[in-house]
Each structure stands twice: as C-alpha cells, then as structure tokens.
Amino acid sequence: MARKYPPLESVGEFRDPVHGFIEPFPHEKEIIDTAEFQRLRHISQLGLTSYVYHGAEHSRFGHSIGVMHLAGEAAHRILQNSRAFICEQLRWSDEDFEEKSRRVFVLARVAGLVHDLGHPPFSHAGQAGFFPEKLDHENYTQEIVLSTAIGEIIDRTLKDFDISKEEVVDLLRKTHPIGFLGELVSSPWDVDKMDYLLRDSHYCGVGYGNYDLSRIVRSLALCSDEAGSMTLAIEEEGLHCLEGLVLARYFMFTQVYFHEVRRAYDLVLADLIAELLEERYDSATYPGPADIEEYLSWDDVAVLAAAAQKANAKSRNPAWMVRHRRHPKKVFSTLPHPDPIVAKRAFRSLFQDMKARFQGVRLWADRATDHPERYRSEIFGIPVRLEAGRSESFAGHAHALQGLREIGQVRLYADVGDDSSLQDEIAEACRHYMA
C-alpha cells in the first residue's frame, strides 16, 4: 500500500513583483520567521547597485522566496512531463506516484527556500576573498541548515514526509539520489538563475534579463545521461526560450553586473569590509562555519553602521566613500572581449606603472570576468527531448549562441575626487602606456 503523506494547506501569501502570489506552507512560514532567514532582508541582492540603478534595493529575502516558488513549479512540471520515465528509473508504482511526487515537491521548495542563507553582507560584492580557504557562501548555507533553528524546524515539521535537514543539505550539495533535484537548485539553468535574472532586471528598471520563464518551466523534462542516470532535459518547444535565458544572462552581465560605476563601488566596499574584518579578527576573513552565530552577525546594516562611525571626509577613506556615494573614477578600460595578452598587461604592468607614477593617488585594478562561452558549452550539453522520443544535444540547435565569447574587461580606477584634470592626466598616461 502506498505511503500517505500529510495534506498541504498554505498559510497566507506573498505578493511577489516577479511571480505574483506565492503561498507558503506552514513549515515554510516557520522557516521564514526565523532570525536566520529574516537576516536575508538585510543582505542586498546586488551590493551597492542601487547607487547606480536606484530601484535595485531588493534583498536575498525576496529572491529566496522566489526560488522556493520556482523550485516547486519546476519539480511539479518535471514530474508530470516525465511520469513514465521516473516510475521506470526510481521503481515507483503508479499507485505510489502522486504521494512520492508530493514529497519531491515539498523537498524541492524547502531547498530553494534555504539555498542562499549563507551569503555575506552585500552578497557577491562582500565575498571578495574574505571566506576561509576553499570555502564559500554555500558551505555556510549548509552549516546554517544543519546547526540552527532552521534544521530543527525541518526535522520537526517534515518528519511525516520523511524529510530531514541532512537530506536538504544533500540536495544542496548535489549528492541527493534523485539527481535532477540538485540540478534544479544548482546548474547552468537552475531556478536560482531563472529568478535572479528576472528579479534583477525588474528592480534595476532594465529589460536585459527578461526571457520566457513560463515556456521554459512548461518544457522541463528528464532523460537518461551516458551513465544511465536521470538528468534534466528540455522539450523541443522550449529550445528558443532556453537560448533566451542564456542571452539574458549575458546581457545582464555586460550591461548591469559589469557596469563600470557599479564595479567601482564593489572595489571600495571590499576595502571597507576588509578593514572591518581586520579590526575585529586581526584577519580579513569571516569567522568559519564552526562559529556560525558570529558569522550571522554580519549583514549590510552592520557594515553601514560601522561606515557611519569610521567615515572620514579628510582622508576620503572607504567608509566615507561608501556612506557618501563617492566612487573612484575610471581612467582606463579595455574592450569587453580583449586579447588575453592586452588584458594581462593592463591588469598587471599598467596598474603597477601607474601606481609608481602617481604615488599620491589611490588606484584600483578590476577584472570583470565571466565565461559565457563556458556557460554556453555547459548549456550545450543539455539534452533536448524530441517529439519522436529521441534526445539530441542542445548544441545542435542553439545557433543564436555560437558567437558568445569570454568577457575579460580590465579597468583601472583612481580616487581623483572632483579633479577632472588629474583624471584626464592619468587616463592619458594609461593610453600612452598601452599604445
């Protein structure tokens, strides 16, 4: 006889600007109400991007709820589109299918909800090499799930679904036996990207991140990989929408994430956070996962409060620059897709030469790097499930993506204040050096 899991009834609703009404279940609401999850309200999604795109004041809180919603929607669609295949692969009976599908749906939503708990202040702008060696925010996310109230809630409220905090972490680590669940939360076309592209585009007031989400979700399916395991696939009808997702990601990087002023604030913010960490721990490193409560004390509010105390207009220190929206000015830039030799020369030799020549001026070198061509190659491996039941590689169909190339733009910035003549002088020296 098939195992019967408890009924699911939503409690309340979130009115999300990207996905519309999102209705959480009781266990999800209990997780959302924890201090660990509420901290995400104080972790901005895009660092100080609101200093450039003023609407970009959104946080990891809304993004995490959006990913929860999409993880559930995607899991449900995959289960429905690939029912016979799943039953064959997982040895589910028709009698078991609906109940086991509900369990997968619940698990996917919880994993989506908690996937970003470990982000540092200002998200990726606050990472900048500040984690202990070989660790990243995902390691902290896993520790938060395992050792805080969130893990206790998962174990207690989902016991009747046979879901534990350890299973959630297995999914986040992509070691879960139902492999496609890990792909949903972390892969080249995961629900994380599906949400943040639309969300960031909406709040920045740009259209670069838009694509046909509903068609992609409706087209999700499964097939066997070379090892005979289940892997995510897309039905033929969703091909061009998947191309649209890849292009949306590319345009958001070139037009928003790598915007020259936005990147300048990342540099100053990293300097500020490094100072604060050094003062507190004698090392520009966040506390390790073993001291998770101390790590969780770091958020945007803590950093900005410290900036208010440390700001010094005379020295124009990083705290003052962050607090008063003063950024270093660009004095040199390569093209977005430079020759690697040119990029290396600019990032190393040019930077060192300008530091020696303009010793009274603070300079920064920035390398805005993304690899859409690698991302494309990963996407190219996605199977396309054709109507005849066959599958082919996405590579043979994604003609619009063939021209994507590595982004490796190098920029030099200088703290020249309002001295435009000094900015011009340094810029001219850079041009002469690189000629």
Side-chain angles (χ1 to χ4, degrees):
M1 185 175 178
R3 169 71 187 271
K4 294 292 184 182
Y5 295 111
L8 289 169
E9 295 184 8
S10 61
V11 286
E13 59 193 15
F14 292 97
R15 191 160 192 166
D16 188 79
V18 176
H19 306 299
F21 288 105
I22 297 176
E23 299 179 343
F25 300 116
H27 61 275
E28 295 165 346
K29 184 176 185 302
E30 195 169 343
I31 291 171
I32 291 167
D33 285 342
T34 63
E36 292 81 8
F37 196 92
Q38 290 293 315
R39 170 181 174 269
L40 297 181
R41 291 184 183 274
H42 310 299
I43 304 291
S44 56
Q45 178 81 0
L46 294 179
L48 293 175
T49 300
S50 61
Y51 280 11
V52 181
Y53 297 94
H54 70 269
E57 295 183 340
H58 55 307
S59 71
R60 290 279 156 184
F61 181 89
H63 167 62
S64 296
I65 291 172
V67 172
M68 173 194 77
H69 168 74
L70 281 184
E73 293 290 298
H76 174 73
R77 178 57 62 175
I78 290 167
L79 291 161
Q80 297 306 311
N81 284 351
S82 302
R83 176 169 180 152
F85 180 68
I86 290 171
C87 287
E88 177 187 347
Q89 290 287 311
L90 298 180
R91 297 183 180 178
W92 291 1
S93 67
D94 284 340
E95 184 184 27
D96 290 339
F97 184 82
E98 293 301 330
E99 287 301 305
K100 290 189 174 182
S101 293
R102 288 205 307 127
R103 183 182 184 278
V104 167
F105 172 79
V106 170
L107 177 60
R109 279 179 61 107
V110 170
L113 182 64
V114 304
H115 84 287
D116 264 354
L117 288 172
H119 266 289
F122 298 98
S123 293
H124 295 289
Q127 294 186 184
F130 300 139
F131 286 121
E133 188 177 359
K134 297 182 179 179
L135 298 182
D136 57 27
H137 74 270
E138 294 175 355
N139 299 102
Y140 287 77
T141 293
Q142 294 159 19
E143 186 61 31
I144 292 166
V145 172
L146 291 172
S147 65
T148 70
I150 289 177
E152 183 275 325
I153 292 168
I154 291 171
D155 284 346
R156 171 171 48 80
T157 62
L158 295 180
K159 178 175 60 176
D160 290 339
F161 279 93
D162 298 325
I163 293 173
S164 67
K165 61 189 178 188
E166 288 81 10
E167 184 176 13
V168 173
V169 168
D170 282 345
L171 196 161
L172 296 174
R173 289 174 176 161
K174 299 181 72 172
T175 57
H176 195 276
I178 304 179
F180 75 83
L181 289 176
E183 290 184 84
L184 269 186
V185 178
S186 179
S187 72
W189 58 318
D190 54 38
V191 290
D192 178 42
K193 294 179 184 64
M194 292 182 193
D195 182 84
Y196 79 61
L197 289 172
L198 293 174
R199 192 170 300 275
D200 293 351
S201 188
H202 171 83
Y203 280 102
C204 289
V206 302
Y208 306 116
N210 293 328
Y211 64 94
D212 192 345
L213 170 66
S214 60
R215 172 56 78 182
I216 288 181
V217 171
R218 288 182 62 85
S219 303
L220 292 174
L222 295 174
C223 71
S224 293
D225 61 17
E226 293 180 355
S229 301
M230 289 189 298
T231 188
L232 277 184
I234 192 161
E235 295 182 336
E236 190 173 8
E237 64 195 29
L239 279 172
H240 295 305
C241 303
L242 186 54
E243 285 184 306
L245 172 70
V246 178
L247 291 173
R249 180 184 179 277
Y250 174 77
F251 291 133
M252 284 297 286
F253 268 88
T254 59
Q255 302 302 310
V256 176
Y257 305 144
F258 288 171
H259 186 286
E260 65 180 65
V261 179
R262 204 206 71 76
R263 292 285 293 192
Y265 283 117
D266 281 358
L267 298 172
V268 177
L269 184 59
D271 285 351
L272 171 60
I273 292 174
E275 285 184 16
L276 298 178
L277 290 170
E278 286 278 3
E279 288 178 3
R280 192 157 173 178
Y281 307 116
D282 295 323
S283 170
T285 307
Y286 290 117
D291 196 1
I292 200 67
E293 291 299 326
E294 176 68 14
Y295 174 76
L296 288 171
S297 70
W298 287 87
D299 61 16
D300 296 10
V301 175
V303 172
L304 293 176
Q309 295 296 317
K310 291 174 62 66
N312 186 310
K314 185 175 181 180
S315 67
R316 293 177 60 88
N317 64 350
W320 181 86
M321 296 178 81
V322 167
R323 181 164 173 77
H324 294 280
R325 196 188 172 275
R326 297 292 188 270
H327 63 84
K329 303 296 177 63
K330 183 188 73 175
V331 292
F332 176 80
S333 177
T334 66
L335 295 171
H337 308 284
D339 182 286
I341 296 174
V342 172
K344 183 177 180 180
R345 184 166 180 245
F347 191 74
R348 296 182 180 176
S349 304
L350 174 64
F351 179 52
Q352 293 301 324
D353 188 87
M354 293 302 111
K355 283 175 67 177
R357 191 178 306 189
F358 297 94
Q359 295 186 16
V361 180
R362 280 180 294 175
L363 295 167
W364 292 261
D366 177 54
R367 178 181 285 159
T369 303
D370 184 55
H371 294 278
E373 81 290 355
R374 294 182 193 170
Y375 182 73
R376 178 192 62 198
S377 68
E378 293 173 348
I379 287 284
F380 275 4
I382 293 172
V384 178
R385 200 170 76 175
L386 305 176
E387 286 187 5
R390 297 180 296 107
S391 64
E392 295 180 357
S393 170
F394 183 55
H397 300 267
H399 305 297
L401 306 181
Q402 297 294 338
L404 291 181
R405 295 165 49 204
E406 175 185 356
I407 303 170
Q409 191 164 23
V410 174
R411 299 185 181 107
L412 263 62
Y413 295 89
D415 181 18
V416 296
D418 297 321
D419 191 341
S420 59
S421 61
L422 178 58
Q423 181 181 358
D424 291 342
E425 181 184 352
I426 300 172
E428 178 58 32
C430 289
R431 284 192 292 271
H432 185 267
Y433 184 92
M434 294 297 292

